[in-house]
Amino acid sequence: MFSNTDIITQFFTVAIIHLFAVMSPGPDFVVIAKQSIRQGRRIAIYTALGIGTGILIHISYCLIGIGFFASKSTYALETIKILGAFYLIYIGISTIIVKNKLEINKKNKTKTNVSFYSSFTLGFLTNILNPKATLFFLSLYSVIIKPDTTFLVQAIYGIWMAIVTALWFCFLSIILTNEIILKTFHKFSDRISLVLGFILIIFGIRLLFSNII
């Protein structure tokens, strides 16, 4: 029988593995960097909340069993991979094309017409269309989390990971929009946007031609 000690041990294992995974640079990190530098703190935080919410989608299909089907379906994973790859390439190209400079005021806000919905959706789609995130959670829920772990406990794990993800990227948004850092970035904003755009395109191309199965 699964004891409370087993649950605590399993929780810390899941928490540590997830923390290392979320802190490793990837598409989510690059998107947050782009939003922080080009759009400012508020928009970057909205994007971070979208990324955190995206985690709940991964958790949901793991909990209801669709994750098992997806892990066995080459077609499903290939579809996610292709959609995710083209979405990253699209974001990268958009980042390179848009050349507007940041206008920073004393309150560390950026004059922008970007809405909560569009910035939240950007983070959300970037996360849920990342097949490596899909495989990460499928592996986590099939290997690390034991089959006899109750549905409630598994759901709590998922909510924890979603909150930690959102908090991590909100923290990055605050760090990257620090007044001193942001003013430094502002001097090279076009160059930085160009680099971030190319990184996203490279992520997309590598993903498109990668074998994730």
Side-chain angles (χ1 to χ4, degrees):
M1 186 175 180
F2 215 51
S3 66
N4 291 335
T5 302
D6 293 328
I7 292 175
I8 293 173
T9 301
Q10 182 176 260
F11 170 77
F12 278 110
T13 301
V14 169
I16 292 171
I17 291 174
H18 169 258
L19 184 61
F20 279 116
V22 79
M23 290 175 67
S24 62
D28 292 340
F29 174 84
V30 178
V31 167
I32 287 296
K34 177 186 82 72
Q35 293 290 82
S36 298
I37 295 168
R38 297 190 70 91
Q39 304 294 347
R41 179 174 298 174
R42 178 170 57 86
I43 297 302
I45 288 176
Y46 292 164
T47 307
L49 295 177
I51 292 173
T53 304
I55 298 297
L56 295 176
I57 302 300
H58 296 296
I59 301 304
S60 296
Y61 59 64
C62 287
L63 289 176
I64 63 179
I66 296 178
F68 178 79
F69 166 76
S71 66
K72 301 299 181 182
S73 172
T74 302
Y75 175 77
L77 289 175
E78 281 294 317
T79 301
I80 295 173
K81 184 186 81 170
I82 293 171
L83 289 175
F86 279 111
Y87 187 66
L88 290 177
I89 293 171
Y90 164 75
I91 299 172
I93 293 174
S94 299
T95 302
I96 293 172
I97 292 175
V98 179
K99 292 292 185 181
N100 59 305
K101 288 273 190 178
L102 291 177
E103 297 181 32
I104 305 168
N105 61 27
K106 293 181 180 179
K107 294 183 179 180
N108 194 25
K109 294 181 180 179
T110 305
K111 296 179 181 179
T112 177
N113 294 321
V114 178
S115 66
F116 167 82
Y117 175 79
S118 61
S119 51
F120 179 92
T121 301
L122 173 61
F124 180 77
L125 290 178
T126 300
N127 185 268
I128 66 171
L129 290 177
N130 183 356
K132 292 187 177 180
T134 301
L135 291 175
F136 171 78
F137 285 103
L138 289 176
S139 299
L140 196 65
Y141 272 79
S142 61
V143 178
I144 305 299
I145 299 177
K146 304 301 180 183
D148 51 352
T149 304
T150 65
F151 181 89
L152 177 60
V153 171
Q154 292 188 47
I156 291 173
Y157 291 167
I159 293 171
W160 169 267
M161 288 186 284
I163 292 173
V164 169
T165 299
L167 289 176
W168 168 250
F169 286 111
C170 284
F171 171 74
L172 282 181
S173 301
I174 294 171
I175 294 297
L176 292 175
T177 52
N178 175 272
E179 187 174 351
I180 296 175
I181 295 176
L182 198 56
K183 284 182 178 179
T184 302
F185 281 149
H186 179 58
K187 296 178 182 178
F188 309 99
S189 61
D190 282 341
R191 297 178 188 176
I192 293 172
S193 294
L194 192 66
V195 171
L196 292 176
F198 275 117
I199 290 175
L200 285 168
I201 292 172
I202 291 170
F203 269 128
I205 293 174
R206 287 184 60 185
L207 178 58
L208 190 62
F209 293 99
S210 66
N211 181 14
I212 63 170
I213 310 300

